[in-house]
């Protein structure tokens, strides 16, 4: 009647004591971050207005391991280690010879993996004497996580929430407020960046890029009292998330298997990096050959249709220039697109790995994505967030290919969060209101023409 | 900066293998369930149209332990054992010498403890060849849990959802539908019971009692193909929930402490029974003296202001008569009341324990309840559902009394679910729109006058 549910649990003592920093193992160093005006490589001093010293150090560190502070590890104990589960009922539903495992981060108090780096960033800022943080949030996962983390360490937080989410997800706003954060719809009229956008288009639904501009502006103009926190993209964020992949490695060992392919969705890259980097480490240093598959929305295809070039991290052009896969900083995903994964760029680490063919990527439409979500929840009993549902869709493709070829493939994927706050998207899907959307090529072409004309100094030299 | 977070985890092998049935240990047997027309004690045959044989047997069993079927225990592995956590940051926030522990059932896929009995009931019905289940749901916790359980075992489910929740909680409806259930607002025009209520009051917001009438009617008229499932109140439901208290006992042993008082909210009684019955077992058989404190909403005070008398389980008067603490079957909680805990009666087991002074009870208003919820979430990082927030309010009272008296008290409470689907109630609270409500005495008096005039045969003899 039912199939055995196999969950591979680790004791609390197995919570990793170190984050893994892939910069130690990359075949070539990451392209330098450049000053937005001079285009010269920037140093730690340039980042000091936005981040505390410890995080700037981690951003550029080439040490393979970074010790996790005891205080951070203590908070991790509230929900870590997270479960690794074999999706036997999904395997059966797909009638596949593949073995499917998922690492489930939805058990965190914020409901997603974002809390892993939120706690670390809040800790380092508090320890550095910072008096408040600013940040942006799209679907609300990051804002929720940072609100919980800042509340834990006693640090005020101002959140700029992309307007379309602010309007469609009032409960996300309420959670952040309940944890003591102040939340504004972005673009707002409280920043120069916000006012500039509103002057051009008063009816804009906002974008992550714009919200980043506003949050950065508030920190930069605070005279050093406030700093800024980003929930993805940056090296130190991906490094913090490696607790996920490290635990998964230990749990796969408990299961007595090793993945042939690791699948995760890609928005800014931290969810993908979190599970994949420890496996790539073994590919680079221990002769393993695990495939890494990034799945991204067809409506926001920064890996598969963007270019690897220097671009701004925000919409206005205030941040340093980062070499990354990008759709152009003015990219705004179509309103039809449900859930997160709406950033114009991609983490430098992920972009470099993809460029060096150490990782694959595929874009998936949202109808296939929500169909996959329904297949998963009916089989496994857990409602996945829209973001990791892109990974599930990728897993189902892989599993059906294995069925076709008769291959006994081992698939591991990252279920980075539950969908409890995304039921409006499910409602839209169930009632037939979600449609696919291919981002128009002419918009991409226009964005490419608009990229800052900057050479990669490491490539030029 | 932060205080140590202590979580007491058990391995999967520690998932209980037996449910504890307190009917084996009660000083006197529970009052018999009576036929609604003849008022004679009913036998298993009378219940057969509604429940499968195995559950009817559990309902009246006086065996101390009932083996948990392997198939049920397999599904429990998806989320059990659940965590027991010491709320050190809450202790510090309250500046209390008390030690506060909570057993957290919100990690289940349905987000509450309800899944423990839902899986068991779905299993026994499926095993008996039943072709479909009917049920009611108020705030949606039970309907969600039974939807997930029925989907797991492959059993169609029809849910009658109290109209006010159907309208205010569309996402709960979507979850149930996503798991394949059909969901109707109650009162509906598809049953005699629903039509009768609508004829009297077309604008009624519905009640659990009415929804039960509708669900029971559909099962009773199905000619044996459909059965009915109830999420609380019945003996077998409370028995299934004892996995919670059994695990908590083992976890308190890990913590090296034993509770002086166990606190849980009381609606139908299954959440309270689930954690408390294994402790009452030790009170009755092992010389322990743990206080049990039930917290109920001031807006639905069936223990503290109801009477212990025979009453119908539903609003129309279709079900057998059960002796229980009741506010009268026509009780409808005020619309201002947030969350669940809106049933007119109380589990027979809990009512008997309360009548025999083996348990205390207190009623708490919703403003104090939501204040307590905010204190807890700011301290512990988890958003509690409104129902267990009544328990938290009780815990805070106990902890502050301990501070007053300087007593080092050990408090254990049941955090039966998260509040992810209840953020509208938090929104109302944060924006100052939640008010206290005392249920008017004249309404209670009227309901008491309306109770069926039935003697308890065990008391009369």
């Amino acid at each position: 009647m039912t199939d055995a549910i196999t969950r591979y649990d680790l004791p609390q003592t197995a919570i990793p004591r170190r984050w893994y920093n892939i910069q130690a193992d990359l075949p070539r160093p990451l392209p330098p971050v450049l000053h937005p005006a001079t285009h010269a490589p920037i140093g730690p001093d340039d980042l000091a207005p936005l981040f505390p010293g410890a995080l700037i150090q981690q951003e550029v560190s080439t040490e393979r391991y970074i010790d996790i502070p005891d205080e951070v590890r203590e908070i991790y104990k509230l929900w870590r280690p997270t479960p690794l589960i074999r999706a036997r009922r999904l395997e059966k539903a797909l009638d596949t010879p593949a073995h499917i495992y998922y690492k489930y981060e939805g058990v965190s108090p914020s409901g997603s993996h974002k809390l892993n780096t939120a706690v670390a960033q809040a800790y380092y800022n508090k320890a550095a004497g910072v008096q408040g943080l600013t940040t942006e949030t799209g679907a609300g996962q990051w804002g929720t996580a940072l609100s919980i983390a800042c509340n834990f360490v006693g640090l005020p937080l101002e959140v700029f929430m992309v307007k379309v989410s602010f309007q469609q997800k009032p409960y996300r706003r309420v959670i952040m407020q309940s944890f003591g954060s102040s939340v504004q719809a972005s673009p707002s009229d409280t920043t120069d960046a916000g006012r500039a956008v509103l002057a051009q288009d008063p009816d804009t639904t906002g974008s992550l890029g714009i919200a980043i501009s506003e949050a950065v502006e508030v920190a930069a103009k605070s005279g050093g009292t406030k700093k800024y926190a980003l929930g993805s993209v940056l090296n130190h964020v991906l490094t913090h998330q490696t607790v996920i992949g490290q635990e998964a490695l230990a749990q796969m060992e408990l299961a007595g298997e090793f993945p042939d392919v690791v699948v995760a969705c890609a928005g800014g890259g931290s969810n993908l990096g979190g599970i994949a980097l420890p496996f790539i480490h073994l590919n680079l240093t221990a002769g393993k050959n695990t495939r890494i598959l990034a799945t991204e929305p067809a409506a926001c295809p920064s890996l598969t249709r963007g270019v690897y070039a220097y671009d701004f991290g925000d919409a206005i052009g205030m941040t340093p220039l980062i070499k990354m896969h990008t759709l152009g900083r003015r990219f705004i995903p179509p309103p039809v697109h449900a859930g997160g994964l709406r950033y114009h760029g991609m983490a430098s680490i992920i972009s470099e790995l993809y460029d060096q063919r150490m990782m694959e990527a595929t874009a998936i439409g949202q109808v296939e994505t929500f169909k996959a979500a329904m297949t998963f929840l009916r089989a496994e009993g857990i409602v996945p967030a829209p973001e990791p549902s892109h990974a599930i869709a990728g897993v189902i493709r892989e599993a059906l290919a294995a069925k076709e070829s008769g291959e006994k493939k081992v698939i591991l994927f990252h279920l980075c969060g539950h969908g409890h706050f995304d039921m409006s998207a499910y409602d839209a899907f169930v009632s037939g209101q979600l449609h696919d959307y291919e981002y128009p090529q002419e918009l991409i072409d226009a964005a490419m023409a608009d990229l800052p004309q900057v050479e990669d100094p490491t490539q030029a030299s």
Side-chain angles (χ1 to χ4, degrees), chain A residues 188-242:
Chain A
S188 77
D189 60 4
T190 62
T191 66
D192 290 343
R195 283 187 292 266
V197 173
L198 286 173
Q200 278 201 319
D201 178 5
D203 298 325
T204 177
T205 53
S207 74
L208 258 191
I210 297 167
I212 293 173
S213 296
E214 295 200 79
V216 165
E217 180 183 327
V218 171
K221 289 182 176 169
S222 72
T225 58
K226 297 178 189 175
K227 304 275 183 192
Y228 164 74
L230 188 63
S232 188
V233 179
L234 298 179
N235 302 337
H236 67 267
V237 179
L238 272 65
T239 298
H240 296 159
Q241 295 293 359
T242 59

Side-chain angles (χ1 to χ4, degrees), chain A residues 391-441:
Chain A
I392 296 170
V395 167
I396 291 178
R397 287 184 185 178
E398 290 285 326
L400 293 179
K403 179 184 175 183
E404 198 72 29
S405 67
E407 190 188 353
K408 189 190 150 296
K409 198 188 304 188
V410 177
I411 305 170
L412 167 65
F413 78 94
H414 185 199
L415 184 58
C416 63
H418 61 61
H420 297 176
F421 300 107
D422 306 288
M423 294 316 297
S424 58
Y426 277 91
D427 201 7
F429 176 71
V430 170
S431 54
Q433 285 158 34
L434 279 194
H435 304 290
D436 277 330
Y437 179 92
E438 284 282 325
Y439 203 70
Q441 187 59 42

Side-chain angles (χ1 to χ4, degrees), chain A residues 33-85:
Chain A
V33 175
L34 305 181
H35 192 281
T38 67
H39 296 186
I42 63 170
D45 287 355
D46 296 295
L47 291 172
L50 294 186
F51 304 105
L55 291 177
I56 294 172
Q57 223 168 355
Q58 290 178 15
E59 192 62 17
V60 298
S61 168
T62 52
E63 292 295 316
R64 183 167 290 119
Y65 294 104
I66 294 166
D67 287 340
I68 303 177
D70 287 344
E71 292 86 343
V72 172
R73 214 167 157 273
E74 271 305 316
I75 299 180
Y76 281 174
K77 286 184 185 170
L78 191 54
W79 73 97
R80 306 211 69 85
T82 60
L84 181 99
I85 298 170

Side-chain angles (χ1 to χ4, degrees), chain A residues 27-324:
Chain A
R28 64 181 193 193
L30 290 174
V33 175
L34 305 181
H35 192 281
T38 67
H39 296 186
I42 63 170
D45 287 355
D46 296 295
L47 291 172
L50 294 186
F51 304 105
L55 291 177
I56 294 172
Q57 223 168 355
Q58 290 178 15
E59 192 62 17
V60 298
S61 168
T62 52
E63 292 295 316
R64 183 167 290 119
Y65 294 104
I66 294 166
D67 287 340
I68 303 177
D70 287 344
E71 292 86 343
V72 172
R73 214 167 157 273
E74 271 305 316
I75 299 180
Y76 281 174
K77 286 184 185 170
L78 191 54
W79 73 97
R80 306 211 69 85
T82 60
L84 181 99
I85 298 170
R86 170 128 176 236
R88 286 184 191 270
R89 287 174 44 100
L90 179 62
E91 294 169 11
K92 194 167 174 187
L94 299 173
D95 188 23
T96 176
H99 289 189
I100 303 173
Y101 294 84
Y102 62 98
K103 177 72 169 164
Y104 182 41
E105 291 285 308
V107 296
S108 93
S110 78
S112 84
H113 69 294
K114 295 276 185 186
L115 198 52
N116 297 320
T117 184
V119 168
Q121 293 189 50
Y123 165 79
Y124 285 116
N125 276 285
K126 180 74 177 183
V130 173
Q131 289 166 43
L133 282 181
T134 68
T135 198
E136 72 292 325
T137 197
Q141 294 280 15
W142 169 242
T144 301
L146 194 60
S147 294
I148 293 176
C150 282
N151 171 68
F152 265 130
V153 305
L155 203 56
L157 173 64
E158 292 168 61
V159 181
F160 291 88
M161 185 173 188
V162 177
K163 191 182 280 177
V164 62
S165 296
F166 188 91
Q167 290 164 341
Q168 289 176 1
K169 298 191 157 193
Y171 299 164
R172 278 287 187 191
R173 169 183 54 74
V174 176
I175 290 192
M176 293 185 272
Q177 290 172 330
S178 295
F179 281 100
S181 301
S182 78
V183 186
Q184 292 190 68
S186 167
S188 77
D189 60 4
T190 62
T191 66
D192 290 343
R195 283 187 292 266
V197 173
L198 286 173
Q200 278 201 319
D201 178 5
D203 298 325
T204 177
T205 53
S207 74
L208 258 191
I210 297 167
I212 293 173
S213 296
E214 295 200 79
V216 165
E217 180 183 327
V218 171
K221 289 182 176 169
S222 72
T225 58
K226 297 178 189 175
K227 304 275 183 192
Y228 164 74
L230 188 63
S232 188
V233 179
L234 298 179
N235 302 337
H236 67 267
V237 179
L238 272 65
T239 298
H240 296 159
Q241 295 293 359
T242 59
V243 290
I244 302 166
Q246 291 182 66
E247 286 180 8
L249 267 168
Q251 288 165 308
M252 289 302 304
E253 203 173 315
L254 280 184
E257 300 209 273
F258 198 87
D260 298 301
V261 57
V262 173
V263 186
C265 65
S270 79
N271 141 8
L272 169 63
I275 194 151
L277 296 181
F279 287 91
I280 297 174
H281 174 219
L282 298 183
N283 285 354
L284 290 170
T285 64
K288 291 283 186 186
N289 198 20
T290 309
R291 285 174 55 214
I292 309 294
L293 175 60
T295 56
E296 62 181 8
C300 183
S302 61
L303 281 174
T304 54
R305 296 178 67 201
V307 293
Y308 190 34
Y310 273 97
D311 196 3
F312 295 97
D314 68 331
I316 303 296
M318 294 176 64
T319 69
L321 292 161
I322 304 171
K323 190 172 179 186
M324 57 181 176

